[in-house]
Amino acid sequence: MESIENVAIIIPSLNPDEKLMKVVSGLIEAGYKKIVLVNDGSNSEHVTPFEEAKKHEECVVLKHEVNRGKGAGLKTAFKYVTETWPDLCGVVTVDGDNQHTVKDITACKDEMVKLKDTIVIGCRAFDSENVPARSAFGNNVTRKAFRLFCGMDITDTQTGLRAIPLQYLQTLIELKGDRFEYETRMLLIMKEQEMPWVEVPIETVYIEENQTSHFNPVKDSVKIYASIFKYSPIVRKLVKFAVSSGVSFLVEYIIFWIMLKLLKGRITETEVAIFTATVAVTTATYANVIARICSSVVNYSINHKVVFKSAASHRQTVVRYYILCVCQLIVGTALLTLIVSLFKVDTDFVKTLCKFVVDVTLFLLSFNIQRKWVFAGKQR
């Protein structure tokens, strides 16, 4: 009972029906003393549940004069809690449509109280028969996007049941986003600031196939995925990596073009066996090697200091980088030589275009190897 009194329940709601009071009544019966509801600009036809909640001493009702979104509602409640009850253990966010059972709310609360500094995420299973197809599909797609672009394997990315220690609320108050994308940003900031988190399995409840949800499948999904791409640490690194590679490629192509001109007529072509084909080593081969060596120095410096901000020693990262660079050079040069020879390319422009195709093919592979191995470790 002591932990119940040391935790606040937060319920943002827009145009609720009778299910909101079922949630509130269940929480009061379970012994919760601090229940914060946020009326997010509900119209006059849906204020009755809030009026009924005000009659209970356990409830506080905050109000937005106009609809501002679920994220704004959560931040309003977070701010109220930090200013009114600064000594609480934390808060539990709950949806007002009666799809979170008191048993599951309490399970998440207990786990947070036990772990103290860990965020607890109540996760539903999406393989049961009562889950609407659009909900199952949307969660699976978002889960894979989180895993691919954010490096987070979260079972339920759209759950509204989350237990959050008080120490993290100020960070979440300052977080951008006012609508459903805010909950996505909450997950991303957990990754960015290394907030520990765990999952707790909860019951999967969908009432009337979730028809009362205010989630707009198109507009809100666009905002959610935009947040993933905009704020994902991996995506941000990939963008910086692309810029770094672009600068390096520009340096490399300029040197490659210059070397083609300087070496033209000075290199005797020789035939070598590559795989099962006999190809001619041309000026393009030598020009590619010289250009890649020059650009690698530029690329390493930018990636170490700007892209991956690696705290690993230069000695370690340089060795790894050039092991990768040599392997990439061998593969890239072999492919370029093979293409030029097999297709009998004889113009500098087409040779340069062939080189571009080869380099783009190796781009994503190189990014992942540098992220996970070359510059692996804590950032500065």
Side-chain angles (χ1 to χ4, degrees):
M1 185 64 70
E2 180 181 351
S3 64
I4 283 182
E5 296 179 351
N6 202 29
V7 171
I9 304 296
I10 293 176
I11 311 174
S13 186
L14 169 65
N15 295 332
D17 54 21
E18 71 282 351
K19 292 192 288 291
L20 178 60
M21 276 312 299
K22 291 182 179 179
V23 176
V24 172
S25 298
L27 291 168
I28 293 175
E29 290 177 7
Y32 288 92
K33 304 296 184 183
K34 299 179 178 66
I35 304 172
V36 181
L37 297 94
V38 181
N39 175 2
D40 186 29
S42 300
N43 59 41
S44 58
E45 298 176 357
H46 295 86
V47 297
T48 301
F50 296 110
E51 296 298 330
E52 291 185 19
K54 288 180 180 179
K55 299 176 182 178
H56 299 274
E57 62 179 2
E58 296 89 347
C59 297
V60 174
V61 177
L62 308 177
K63 183 180 180 181
H64 292 165
E65 294 301 326
V66 296
N67 174 244
R68 293 169 52 192
K70 186 177 183 181
L74 288 171
K75 286 190 280 188
T76 294
F78 291 161
K79 185 177 181 180
Y80 177 85
V81 168
T82 57
E83 293 176 350
T84 307
W85 303 303
D87 297 324
L88 287 187
C89 176
V91 302
V92 182
T93 64
V94 178
D95 291 341
D97 53 8
N98 203 29
Q99 295 188 17
H100 297 145
T101 67
V102 174
K103 177 182 176 181
D104 289 333
I105 294 170
T106 300
C108 291
K109 179 267 298 180
D110 289 343
E111 190 72 3
M112 178 189 67
V113 171
K114 181 179 73 173
L115 298 176
K116 292 182 172 39
D117 64 345
T118 300
I119 296 174
V120 180
I121 302 175
C123 294
R124 301 161 291 180
F126 286 87
D127 53 1
S128 59
E129 295 180 355
N130 68 319
V131 178
R134 66 168 185 167
S135 298
F137 176 78
N139 184 78
N140 287 333
V141 172
T142 308
R143 179 180 180 182
K144 290 177 181 178
F146 260 88
R147 186 186 303 148
L148 178 62
F149 296 111
C150 308
M152 300 178 73
D153 191 1
I154 300 178
T155 304
D156 187 356
T157 60
Q158 299 169 1
T159 180
L161 180 53
R162 303 172 183 184
I164 307 168
L166 194 78
Q167 67 200 70
Y168 300 129
L169 292 190
Q170 188 57 45
T171 297
L172 298 181
I173 291 170
E174 297 169 0
L175 201 59
K176 293 181 180 179
D178 285 334
R179 299 193 178 275
F180 284 101
E181 80 279 2
Y182 175 77
E183 291 183 303
T184 299
R185 286 231 59 203
M186 287 173 63
L187 300 178
L188 294 174
I189 203 68
M190 286 161 42
K191 173 75 172 181
E192 183 178 320
Q193 298 201 7
E194 299 183 343
M195 301 176 182
W197 58 276
V198 297
E199 294 183 346
V200 169
I202 63 174
E203 184 179 351
T204 305
V205 179
Y206 278 97
I207 301 173
E208 298 173 353
E209 292 198 348
N210 210 23
Q211 292 180 3
T212 58
S213 172
H214 296 284
F215 183 85
N216 185 305
V218 177
K219 183 171 67 175
D220 291 316
S221 293
V222 169
K223 290 183 178 181
I224 287 173
Y225 288 110
S227 294
I228 293 176
F229 286 109
K230 182 177 180 180
Y231 298 106
S232 162
I234 294 178
V235 172
R236 280 186 287 182
K237 281 188 177 71
L238 182 57
V239 171
K240 291 180 181 179
F241 184 79
V243 173
S244 171
S245 298
V247 172
S248 304
F249 286 173
L250 182 61
V251 171
E252 184 168 335
Y253 290 146
I254 291 173
I255 295 176
F256 179 73
W257 186 272
I258 292 173
M259 295 311 299
L260 283 175
K261 300 299 182 184
L262 293 177
L263 296 176
K264 192 171 185 178
R266 300 184 182 184
I267 300 295
T268 302
E269 295 186 357
T270 57
E271 292 188 348
V272 297
I274 298 180
F275 305 124
T276 59
T278 300
V279 299
V281 177
T282 67
T283 54
T285 305
Y286 294 100
N288 185 60
V289 172
I290 295 171
R292 178 56 56 89
I293 291 173
C294 294
S295 70
S296 69
V297 176
V298 175
N299 186 249
Y300 169 81
S301 300
I302 298 175
N303 287 356
H304 187 276
K305 296 178 181 179
V306 179
V307 178
F308 300 103
K309 299 180 180 178
S310 177
S313 66
H314 280 285
R315 179 180 299 178
Q316 181 185 52
T317 54
V318 164
V319 171
R320 291 179 177 180
Y321 178 85
Y322 278 101
I323 289 175
L324 172 63
C325 195
V326 169
C327 293
Q328 193 170 346
L329 174 61
I330 293 172
V331 174
T333 302
L335 288 175
L336 177 62
T337 303
L338 188 62
I339 292 171
V340 169
S341 179
L342 291 180
F343 292 95
K344 302 186 185 304
V345 178
D346 58 0
T347 65
D348 292 346
F349 174 77
V350 178
K351 288 177 182 177
T352 305
L353 184 61
C354 291
K355 175 177 167 55
F356 178 78
V357 173
V358 171
D359 287 339
V360 169
T361 302
L362 297 174
F363 173 79
L364 289 177
L365 180 62
S366 175
F367 169 73
N368 280 298
I369 294 175
Q370 290 191 45
R371 180 172 65 89
K372 295 181 179 180
W373 181 58
V374 176
F375 299 104
K378 287 188 176 294
Q379 297 183 349
R380 290 192 303 274

